[in-house]
């Protein structure tokens, strides 16, 4: 059994990789990131893979090598994403929108995960498996009463649509695989740090908590109901 965590050097990605290692002790966990990922003690069945997750050629090449070795992944989680960095900040009003910021949001939050969804389609087993991407409640088109955060909202909504569309094809090509868009809640991480002031303490989660919730959720999925858009409490979110 193999598990793949993409973006494992981030707070959530690292916590998910560690939780996968605990939840599936018989599995080999592949932790992919641009920086090496470590666990306590350097266990033999925890593999840190350094790879530019934004480079389609690098992604396709590594997954082709996996396929040549007859590797399959039972559970895959793509944790990459941005809300703010040196190039973008969430927009508060229409005047804040720029083409460059929108392109940056879409490149990281939408295009990058879909490259993995694209190239992974032939690497799942003929038994139940899962492919999860980190989405966000604010990516729900229906559940948007506050506005703002144009680029982040739109890039996550686009990711949801692409995953929902891919699920149609996965039903033919990887019919035992459930596709999941997961909202982890507000997690105490670098991504959410500037926006935590108005978050109630009980709603600010540790990376370890949201990782535990996700692992519990993927163990309950049924492919007949794929794709899913779920929050950390296993409750559905309107698309």
């Amino acid at each position: 059994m193999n598990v793949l965590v993409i973006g494992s050097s981030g707070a959530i990605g690292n916590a998910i990789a560690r939780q996968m290692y605990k939840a599936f002790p018989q599995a080999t966990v592949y932790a992919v990131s641009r920086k090496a990922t470590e666990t306590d003690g350097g266990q033999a069945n925890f593999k840190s893979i350094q790879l530019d997750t934004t480079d389609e050629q690098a992604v396709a090449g590594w997954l082709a090598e996996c396929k040549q070795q007859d590797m399959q992944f039972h559970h895959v989680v793509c944790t990459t994403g941005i809300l703010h960095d040196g190039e973008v900040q969430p927009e508060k009003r229409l005047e804040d929108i720029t083409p460059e910021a929108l392109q940056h949001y879409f490149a990281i939050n939408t295009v990058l995960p879909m490259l993995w969804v694209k190239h992974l389609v032939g690497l799942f087993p003929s038994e139940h498996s899962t492919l999860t991407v980190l989405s966000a409640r604010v990516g729900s088109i229906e559940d948007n009463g506050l506005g703002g955060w144009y680029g982040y909202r739109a890039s996550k909504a686009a990711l949801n649509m692409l995953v929902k569309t891919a699920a149609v094809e996965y039903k033919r090509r990887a019919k035992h695989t459930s596709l999941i868009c997961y909202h982890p809640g507000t997690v105490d991480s670098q991504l959410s740090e500037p926006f935590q002031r108005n978050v109630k303490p009980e709603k600010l989660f540790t990376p370890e908590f949201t990782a535990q919730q996700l692992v519990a959720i993927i163990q309950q999925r049924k492919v007949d109901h794929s794709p899913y858009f779920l929050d950390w409490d296993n409750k559905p979110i309107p698309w």
Side-chain angles (χ1 to χ4, degrees):
M1 180 179 183
N2 297 309
V3 172
L4 173 60
V5 180
I6 303 151
S8 56
S9 63
I12 296 177
N14 189 270
I16 290 173
R18 290 169 179 266
Q19 185 62 30
M20 287 287 196
Y21 186 84
K22 293 177 183 177
F24 303 105
Q26 77 280 22
T28 299
V29 176
Y30 291 83
V32 175
S33 183
R34 285 178 287 181
K35 296 185 291 184
T37 306
E38 298 180 359
T39 58
D40 302 328
Q43 295 92 334
N45 56 337
F46 189 98
K47 309 290 186 183
S48 177
I49 308 294
Q50 285 188 263
L51 182 73
D52 184 353
T53 55
T54 67
D55 183 342
E56 182 173 14
Q57 191 171 6
V59 170
W62 182 70
L63 289 177
E65 291 177 10
C66 293
K67 196 167 188 177
Q68 288 174 357
Q69 298 170 27
D70 293 324
M71 283 176 54
Q72 295 177 319
F73 296 105
H74 283 74
H75 300 295
V76 176
V77 184
C78 183
T79 70
T80 57
I82 58 161
L83 174 56
H84 64 93
D85 60 12
E87 297 185 42
V88 295
Q89 289 288 333
E91 308 92 341
K92 295 181 179 179
R93 56 180 188 160
L94 286 165
E95 286 80 1
D96 296 334
I97 296 172
T98 68
E100 294 79 14
L102 290 176
Q103 289 169 2
H104 190 59
Y105 273 121
F106 273 77
I108 303 301
N109 291 343
T110 312
V111 177
L112 188 161
M114 283 308 297
L115 294 179
W116 287 90
V117 174
K118 169 185 173 181
H119 290 288
L120 277 163
V121 67
L123 282 101
F124 290 98
S126 57
E127 56 188 344
H128 188 246
S129 52
T130 62
L131 170 53
T132 303
V133 299
L134 287 199
S135 185
R137 188 181 301 277
V138 297
S140 167
I141 292 177
E142 183 177 340
D143 183 15
N144 180 4
L146 294 177
W149 291 24
Y150 288 90
Y152 186 73
R153 284 184 185 275
S155 61
K156 290 296 188 179
L159 175 62
N160 291 348
M161 175 58 83
L162 288 168
V163 169
K164 206 170 193 301
T165 304
V168 177
E169 193 165 346
Y170 262 65
K171 288 183 188 298
R172 299 194 304 268
R173 303 177 60 184
K175 62 182 181 179
H176 299 286
T177 306
S178 295
L179 271 60
I180 304 166
C181 296
Y182 177 64
H183 169 58
T186 303
V187 179
D188 189 9
S189 66
Q190 186 178 1
L191 182 143
S192 69
E193 187 175 2
F195 311 99
Q196 294 178 6
R197 184 174 59 184
N198 296 322
V199 178
K200 296 178 181 179
E202 66 272 17
K203 291 296 185 180
L204 181 62
F205 305 138
T206 65
E208 291 73 22
F209 172 79
T210 199
Q212 291 170 7
Q213 295 297 102
L214 174 58
V215 171
I217 285 170
I218 67 173
Q219 291 175 300
Q220 300 172 38
R221 294 310 96 206
K222 295 183 179 179
V223 71
D224 292 347
H225 301 135
S226 176
Y228 296 90
F229 185 14
L230 300 169
D231 70 5
W232 58 272
D233 201 24
N234 199 19
K235 293 179 180 176
I237 301 171
W239 295 92

